[in-house]
Amino acid sequence: MNLPVILIIAGAFLAFALLFVLLGGPSAGKAKTRRLATVRDRHAASTEAVVAAQMRKTIQSAGGKGDIALTSLLPRREELEKRIRRTGKSWTLTQYMFASMALFVVVTGGMLAVRAPMLMAGLVGLMLSLGLPYLIVGRAIKKRVAQFNTRFPDAIDLLVRGLKSGLPVTETFQVVSQELPGPVGEEFKGVIERIRIGNTMEAALQESAEMLGTPEFQFFCITIAIQRETGGNLAETLANLSDVLRKRAQMKLKIRAMSSEAKASAYIVGALPFFVFGVVWSMNPEYLSGFFHEQRLIIAGVGGLIWMSIGAGIMAKMISFEI
């Protein structure tokens, strides 16, 4: 049995293993644990546990941002479905899987068409089929979260005006879901629907907080939970929270403006080798053809890509600030 056949069999086995990992159903034990936790939170007599859990999630999300693990590249079915739902789009897990498989076939076939080594073509196709859809979903989530954070202070101001006029909290949530379009209205509409089917307000807000994963909404959930437990003027507290969130947004914009020059330099330096490679390839393909079939040049090229990735990661970390 020759090497290409072995590689094809290994690639097929890897594809089937990936499908089994991603599409395999959740275990009965984990599903039972999640149901018990949901029932316990729904019928809790006090909100202290909810507030404590929310505080831990806020601290962990702020401290663990940017950590990259192998599980992020090969997520479980539940995690992948949650990521797809966080985009706010009508994508399904089946469409995601078919897009990944089609990308693998197109990239691998394209590299084989230019006479690239089969092993290299398979590895590049596998990395792109796993990484590119994941990055696209992540970009859609980031865009939706940014839209939510932009309009969220306006939603809090609307809540404050409703509370000052004498409306209960749930009614003000309904007003926000109707008056504000986009992600803010969708999330508050989901909160109202979960409250109507029997969830407590804390549990409904907690589910939205887990779906969004933003400190801004987590602060809001903590404020609501503490006020319902201890009492006080909720309108005044939410007004202060709105002011804090607006100042956080202004600080983020200031940091983005101050780091724009460094980002532009990083983009230029990172894109220059690929631009030069493309120009030389268009003028004299034979000069660079060794990068696709000579072992030493392939190793050198892969090493250069890894080294550039390390440098890009370091530069991204240098201009990333937590507020």
Side-chain angles (χ1 to χ4, degrees):
M1 186 178 296
N2 54 7
L3 181 60
V5 176
I6 295 175
L7 293 176
I8 292 174
I9 294 175
F13 177 78
L14 182 61
F16 281 115
L18 181 62
L19 289 174
F20 177 78
V21 170
L22 293 178
L23 300 180
S27 62
K30 293 182 178 180
K32 181 178 179 181
T33 303
R34 286 194 299 270
R35 288 196 298 269
L36 290 175
T38 303
V39 173
R40 183 172 60 251
D41 293 338
R42 182 180 301 175
H43 299 284
S46 173
T47 59
E48 294 180 359
V50 178
V51 174
Q54 190 64 46
M55 289 292 291
R56 288 194 298 269
K57 288 180 179 294
T58 304
I59 296 173
Q60 291 174 359
S61 64
K65 185 178 180 181
D67 295 339
I68 300 176
L70 181 60
T71 55
S72 64
L73 297 179
L74 294 175
R76 301 292 297 179
R77 177 189 176 94
E78 300 87 354
E79 298 175 358
L80 188 56
E81 288 179 343
K82 182 179 178 180
R83 280 180 57 85
I84 294 175
R85 289 197 305 270
R86 289 180 63 189
T87 61
K89 301 184 182 296
S90 59
W91 298 342
T92 62
L93 183 61
T94 303
Q95 294 174 345
Y96 182 91
M97 291 301 304
F98 275 112
S100 299
M101 296 171 63
L103 184 62
F104 174 79
V105 172
V106 171
V107 173
T108 305
M111 294 195 66
L112 291 177
V114 296
R115 297 182 180 181
M118 180 170 290
L119 180 60
M120 179 181 176
L123 290 176
V124 173
L126 181 62
M127 287 189 295
L128 288 179
S129 63
L130 291 177
L132 188 58
Y134 191 86
L135 292 177
I136 291 175
V137 171
R139 188 175 182 85
I141 294 173
K142 186 177 180 181
K143 181 179 179 181
R144 185 171 186 268
V145 170
Q147 293 175 352
F148 179 89
N149 291 336
T150 302
R151 300 298 303 275
F152 188 48
D154 298 333
I156 296 179
D157 292 339
L158 188 58
L159 289 175
V160 171
R161 291 194 292 269
L163 292 172
K164 288 182 177 180
S165 64
L167 293 176
V169 178
T170 53
E171 292 295 331
T172 57
F173 285 178
Q174 181 70 30
V175 172
V176 171
S177 65
Q178 295 174 354
E179 295 296 330
L180 293 181
V184 176
E186 294 173 0
E187 292 299 332
F188 276 92
K189 182 179 180 181
V191 171
I192 291 296
E193 292 176 352
R194 287 190 289 271
I195 293 175
R196 286 176 177 174
I197 63 176
N199 287 348
T200 62
M201 183 180 296
E202 289 78 13
L205 291 173
Q206 176 70 20
E207 185 172 346
S208 294
E210 293 178 353
M211 186 64 64
L212 289 170
T214 60
E216 287 79 3
F217 195 79
Q218 290 171 354
F219 295 153
F220 175 74
C221 297
I222 294 171
T223 302
I224 296 292
I226 292 177
Q227 191 276 338
R228 288 175 63 86
E229 182 70 19
T230 62
N233 191 344
L234 181 59
E236 182 179 355
T237 304
L238 291 180
N240 294 332
L241 178 61
S242 175
D243 183 63
V244 170
L245 295 183
R246 292 183 188 278
K247 290 181 179 179
R248 281 171 56 88
Q250 292 175 1
M251 182 62 67
K252 288 181 180 179
L253 292 176
K254 184 177 180 180
I255 291 175
R256 182 181 300 177
M258 295 178 65
S259 61
S260 59
E261 183 179 356
K263 287 183 179 180
S265 301
Y267 292 151
I268 294 173
V269 172
L272 188 59
F274 300 99
F275 176 75
V276 173
F277 188 92
V279 172
V280 176
W281 177 268
S282 63
M283 297 177 61
N284 188 5
E286 296 181 358
Y287 182 75
L288 298 176
S289 61
F291 282 97
F292 297 100
H293 58 80
E294 292 186 12
Q295 184 176 3
R296 291 178 297 178
L297 290 178
I298 292 174
I299 295 175
V302 172
L305 291 175
I306 294 174
W307 193 252
M308 287 186 61
S309 301
I310 295 174
I314 293 174
M315 288 188 291
K317 200 69 176 178
M318 291 173 62
I319 60 176
S320 178
F321 299 94
E322 294 293 338
I323 302 176

